[in-house]
């Protein structure tokens, strides 16, 4: 029998506010343990939470970008559970009146529309560090109280590929909204994956398992593939799938049962008496709408219409807000959007990759890149020399004209000097000349290379080819 | 006070949810306390509320919000001072996972 996989995602996104959700402690990642905590986020008796307005603004941005219906009265509930990462013994979350309901997100390339059940606001928990030497668990509460959105999809996804495409799309939207840095390696974006299988063609949902706290796309893809295979295999063997929470073991490439439905937590949700309701009036929604940034889908369309870019170029340039901003500024300043796209997708992204960093971590002045593009266009720099100038601009923040002059990279535009270089190369490479004249055309490329080398890469390659050809065929 | 027929089950369940290990004396004591609390709720439930709108929150106040501004956190040593188990600037508890 063929089985169909059914997947629903619960995505946790840390919001990029400066301060925590209910107190003024900073949210900076990677600080010394327990240095960004106070009585509120450590749950000390008597401390009272006060909601950060920016959290509501950011949540509204996410709701509007995903077509959610905004709850104009939204409230907070306590989700009670005992675990040392949660010093209050409850998490402030939203169960009964989440901020957003019934949204959707379209998969790329005209793919299906995936329904979102809800978006709710909650606080993150602390971080547990398991000390293998002393058999204890250390607790760092810096992350406790960092604001989170939980974005919950309906079980509309049908494969690991679709789940990853959904997450990529969602990540892009959140990045362009500027509400999260979505750094999975730092835990800013994590997903719980609900998976079930059912006979192909069936409408009835199978028993699901949940794999919690996945923080890499690669792991999510592998976990879905592995878990759906496991469930289908069990059903083929006549066994039934148990509703349970499972843990993904990256090293073993397999998931393992953590707790069954019988052990499921009873969270005893109840309204948080410390936090009054939030009433979101039309004016508030309109204010957010009016300042909503352009989203990636709209950008892709505009880049094609306005700049004449192809599908591949627009898809790359809209993966990251810093890259996209750099492209738009360079395109405008240079007046050559295709060249701007080529430089950024080539040299710039290669440098980003080589340094293992992100586009926003490299400083590139769009005016400097526009100047390089202009110098190439005007014939002042050949492509090789332009790359050298680009590196100097990127590495040292150099001015392109100064860099070109100091390194003597401006194009050799004196025809007499170039002719002298060509003659010198022909004299020093008689064998290659003979080879060329006896029909070995590959010798021509060698001779072009020699002239370029002797010119210090300053000659125009096309001019070199023309001059070499003319000289070889007439001398 | 009449003991509810399922009081023992209730108290054991609540103790489990609260992560409390109770000895028999504590269990009996808490069972009686809980019985009194439940009786009080039963008394409240006799009030006719059909004409009253449900109340989600005791305060009518809404939108108590603060701007997204940071303030320096208190000194770590002061915050952790009441905790008995500390190591490397962290609190610690018995190992939570195998």
């Amino acid at each position: 029998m063929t089985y169909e996989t059914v997947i629903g995602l619960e995505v946790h996104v840390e919001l990029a506010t400066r301060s925590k959700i209910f107190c003024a402690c900073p949210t900076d990642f990677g600080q010394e343990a327990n240095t960004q905590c106070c009585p509120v986020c450590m749950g000390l008796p008597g401390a009272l939470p006060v909601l950060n307005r920016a959290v509501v603004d950011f949540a509204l941005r996410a709701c509007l970008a995903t077509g959610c219906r905004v709850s104009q009265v939204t409230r907070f509930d306590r989700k009670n559970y005992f675990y040392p990462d949660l010093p209050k013994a409850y998490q402030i979350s939203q169960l009964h009146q989440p901020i957003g309901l019934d949204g959707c997100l379209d998969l790329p390339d005209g793919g299906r529309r995936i329904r979102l059940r809800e978006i709710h606001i909650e606080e993150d928990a602390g971080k547990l560090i398991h000390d293998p030497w002393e058999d204890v668990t250390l607790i760092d509460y810096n992350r406790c109280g960092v604001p989170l959105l939980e974005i919950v999809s309906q079980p509309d996804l049908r494969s690991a590929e679709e789940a990853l495409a959904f997450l990529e799309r969602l990540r892009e939207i959140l990045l362009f909204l500027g509400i999260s840095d979505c750094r999975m390696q730092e835990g800013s974006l994590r997903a719980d994956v609900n998976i079930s299988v059912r006979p192909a063609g069936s409408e009835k949902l199978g028993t699901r398992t949940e794999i919690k706290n996945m923080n890499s796309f690669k792991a999510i893809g592998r976990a879905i593939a592995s878990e759906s295979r496991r469930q289908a295999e069990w059903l083929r063997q006549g066994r039934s799938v148990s509703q349970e929470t499972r843990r993904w073991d990256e090293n073993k490439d397999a998931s393992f049962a953590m707790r069954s439905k019988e052990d499921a937590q009873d969270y005893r949700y109840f309204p948080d008496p410390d936090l009054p309701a939030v009433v979101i009036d039309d004016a508030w929604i309109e204010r957010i709408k009016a300042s909503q940034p352009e989203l990636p889908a709209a950008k892709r369309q505009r880049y094609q219409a306005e700049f004449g870019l192809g599908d591949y170029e627009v898809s790359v340039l809209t993966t990251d807000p810093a890259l996209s901003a750099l492209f738009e500024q360079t395109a405008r300043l240079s007046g050559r959007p295709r060249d701007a796209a080529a430089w950024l997708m080539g040299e710039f992204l290669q440098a980003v990759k080589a340094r293992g960093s992100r586009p926003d971590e490299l400083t590139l002045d769009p005016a400097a890149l526009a100047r390089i593009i202009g110098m190439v266009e005007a014939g002042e720099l050949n492509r090789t020399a332009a790359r050298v100038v680009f590196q100097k601009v990127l590495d040292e923040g150099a001015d392109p004209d100064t860099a070109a002059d100091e390194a003597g990279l401006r194009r050799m535009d004196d025809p007499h000097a170039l002719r002298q270089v060509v003659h010198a190369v022909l004299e020093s490479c008689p064998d290659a000349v003979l080879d060329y004249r006896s029909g070995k055309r590959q010798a021509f490329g060698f001779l072009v290379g020699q002239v370029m080398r002797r010119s210090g890469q300053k000659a125009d390659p096309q001019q070199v080819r023309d001059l070499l050809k003319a000289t070889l065929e007439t001398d | 006070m009449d003991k509810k027929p399922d009081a023992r089950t209730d108290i054991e369940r609540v103790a489990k949810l609260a992560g409390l290990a109770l000895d028999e004396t504590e269990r009996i004591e808490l069972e009686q306390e809980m019985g009194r609390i439940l009786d009080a709720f039963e008394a409240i439930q006799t009030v006719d509320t059909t004409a009253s709108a449900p109340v989600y929150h005791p305060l009518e106040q809404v939108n108590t919000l603060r701007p997204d501004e940071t303030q320096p956190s208190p000194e770590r040593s002061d915050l952790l001072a009441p905790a008995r188990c500390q190591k490397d600037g962290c609190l610690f508890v018995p190992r939570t996972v195998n």
Side-chain angles (χ1 to χ4, degrees):
Chain A
M1 184 183 287
T2 312
Y3 288 95
E4 178 184 54
T5 305
V6 177
I7 303 153
L9 295 173
E10 295 166 23
V11 184
H12 292 88
V13 186
E14 278 187 358
L15 295 178
T17 52
R18 286 184 286 273
S19 63
K20 291 188 180 180
I21 181 168
F22 298 121
C23 65
C25 288
T27 55
D28 305 330
F29 178 80
Q31 302 301 303
E32 262 196 79
N34 295 307
T35 55
Q36 302 196 137
C37 308
C38 72
V40 173
C41 53
M42 287 192 79
L44 299 188
L48 274 178
V50 184
L51 180 62
N52 182 343
R53 175 183 284 275
V55 172
V56 185
D57 287 343
F58 284 11
L60 283 174
R61 290 201 184 286
C63 290
L64 295 174
T66 52
C68 281
R69 179 161 48 83
V70 172
S71 305
Q72 293 198 256
V73 179
T74 186
R75 302 176 195 272
F76 290 91
D77 301 285
R78 290 187 181 179
K79 177 182 180 180
N80 299 277
Y81 68 93
F82 296 99
Y83 204 58
D85 62 358
L86 204 63
K88 297 194 297 292
Y90 60 84
Q91 180 190 31
I92 302 177
S93 181
Q94 297 193 298
L95 178 73
H96 299 295
Q97 285 168 282
I99 190 161
L101 288 160
D102 304 325
C104 64
L105 197 145
D106 292 333
L107 293 180
D109 305 322
R112 289 186 307 114
R113 174 159 286 190
I114 306 302
R115 293 168 302 151
L116 300 182
R117 194 180 80 201
E118 68 176 59
I119 295 181
H120 65 254
I121 300 170
E122 60 188 24
E123 58 179 342
D124 210 345
K127 193 172 160 194
L128 300 182
I129 307 140
H130 303 293
D131 185 334
W133 307 111
E134 302 210 11
D135 212 28
V136 295
T137 296
L138 302 173
I139 315 166
D140 173 7
Y141 287 125
N142 280 352
R143 201 177 62 181
C144 214
V146 168
L148 288 179
L149 286 188
E150 183 171 335
I151 301 167
V152 185
S153 87
Q154 296 284 5
D156 287 353
L157 298 155
R158 295 288 173 266
S159 65
E161 292 71 28
E162 277 196 353
L164 294 182
F166 172 90
L167 285 168
E168 286 282 6
R169 239 326 108 92
L170 182 61
R171 182 176 165 276
E172 275 174 15
I173 292 172
L174 299 168
L175 277 175
F176 276 84
L177 287 173
I179 64 173
S180 173
D181 61 28
C182 295
R183 291 178 197 156
M184 294 190 91
Q185 70 281 11
E186 292 179 8
S188 305
L189 183 73
R190 324 189 282 268
D192 299 342
V193 186
N194 290 292
I195 308 167
S196 62
V197 298
R198 63 185 174 190
S202 165
E203 287 296 312
K204 191 171 167 244
L205 290 172
T207 305
R208 69 185 162 89
T209 59
E210 181 180 27
I211 305 181
K212 286 191 94 70
N213 254 331
M214 310 283 294
N215 64 353
S216 89
F217 282 2
K218 190 178 145 205
I220 291 169
R222 295 176 75 91
I224 292 172
S226 158
E227 179 58 11
S228 51
R229 266 198 315 273
R230 184 190 73 85
Q231 290 187 15
E233 194 50 42
W234 277 47
L235 296 178
R236 279 192 197 100
Q237 290 170 9
R239 300 156 82 180
S240 59
V241 172
S242 315
Q243 186 173 335
E244 60 192 6
T245 304
R246 299 178 70 84
R247 176 180 59 84
W248 176 249
D249 188 324
E250 186 89 53
N251 298 324
K252 297 191 174 124
D253 206 28
S255 66
F256 296 92
M258 279 168 70
R259 56 175 185 259
S260 68
K261 189 187 174 189
E262 288 70 40
D263 302 327
Q265 300 262 13
D266 177 348
Y267 292 122
R268 294 155 291 141
Y269 280 96
F270 66 88
D272 192 310
D274 288 343
L275 289 158
V278 180
V279 176
I280 302 165
D281 60 13
D282 292 343
W284 193 345
I285 296 174
E286 287 308 315
R287 199 165 58 244
I288 296 295
K289 257 188 202 164
S291 60
Q292 200 75 327
E294 186 182 30
L295 293 176
K299 259 189 203 300
R300 281 189 276 273
Q301 283 188 352
R302 183 167 64 82
Y303 285 6
Q304 289 189 319
E306 188 178 331
F307 300 124
L309 300 183
D311 288 345
Y312 178 68
E313 289 164 309
V314 298
S315 68
V316 174
L317 292 170
T318 54
T319 51
D320 180 274
L323 179 65
S324 155
L326 203 47
F327 163 70
E328 291 189 29
Q329 292 168 50
T330 310
R332 295 226 159 79
L333 290 166
S334 67
R336 302 185 67 83
R338 298 196 77 95
D339 289 340
W343 274 98
L344 291 169
M345 291 168 64
E347 308 299 317
F348 179 70
L349 285 184
Q350 274 167 27
V352 169
K353 195 175 171 194
R355 294 170 201 206
S357 49
R358 301 183 309 270
D360 64 319
E361 291 177 317
L362 266 62
T363 307
L364 175 63
D365 177 5
L369 178 54
R371 174 66 189 136
I372 295 172
I373 290 169
M375 288 160 92
V376 173
E377 170 60 13
E380 293 171 45
L381 291 178
N382 67 35
R383 187 81 192 169
T384 311
R387 280 197 199 103
V388 176
V389 172
F390 179 84
Q391 281 307 324
K392 285 186 175 294
V393 167
L394 196 60
D395 296 343
E396 303 158 23
D399 169 70
D401 283 279
T402 314
D405 290 336
E406 281 178 0
L409 290 168
R410 284 196 198 267
R411 200 177 78 173
M412 180 185 278
D413 50 8
D414 175 357
H416 179 68
L418 184 58
R419 201 167 290 120
Q420 280 185 328
V421 175
V422 167
H423 280 290
V425 166
L426 294 182
E427 275 173 33
S428 64
C429 305
D431 292 347
V433 173
L434 269 177
D435 284 348
Y436 175 78
R437 286 182 172 149
S438 63
K440 289 184 183 167
R441 296 284 147 178
Q442 63 269 40
F444 187 71
F446 169 77
L447 291 167
V448 171
Q450 290 301 305
V451 174
M452 289 303 294
R453 194 172 62 80
R454 282 208 189 202
S455 75
Q457 306 296 341
K458 288 186 286 184
D460 173 37
Q462 190 54 50
Q463 222 175 346
V464 170
R465 277 192 288 274
D466 292 346
L467 191 56
L468 252 180
K469 202 163 192 183
T471 313
L472 282 164
E473 284 168 12
T474 54
D475 281 3
Chain B
M1 187 194 67
D2 291 340
K3 220 190 253 184
K4 301 283 171 295
D6 57 351
R8 185 185 181 100
T9 319
D10 279 350
I11 208 75
E12 282 172 358
R13 178 172 153 73
V14 172
K16 189 180 175 214
L17 287 169
L20 297 174
L22 302 179
D23 63 27
E24 190 57 15
T25 318
E26 288 168 323
R27 192 187 60 71
I28 292 166
E29 192 180 320
L30 287 170
E31 207 174 284
Q32 287 168 351
E33 275 182 27
M34 190 185 221
R36 286 196 291 277
I37 294 168
L38 292 176
D39 287 345
F41 274 97
E42 268 184 19
I44 293 171
Q45 278 173 342
T46 60
V47 178
D48 180 5
T49 57
T50 45
S52 312
V55 173
Y56 190 95
H57 200 281
L59 298 178
E60 286 183 10
Q61 184 184 347
V62 296
N63 292 6
T64 304
L65 301 164
R66 42 169 277 270
D68 183 23
E69 288 166 3
T70 59
Q71 281 175 11
S73 302
E75 282 299 319
R76 176 167 74 181
S77 52
D78 293 341
L79 267 177
L80 300 189
R84 275 183 300 156
C85 305
Q86 295 185 36
K87 186 183 177 217
D88 303 334
C90 291
L91 307 179
F92 71 82
V93 292
R95 190 176 169 80
T96 57
V97 292
N98 293 317

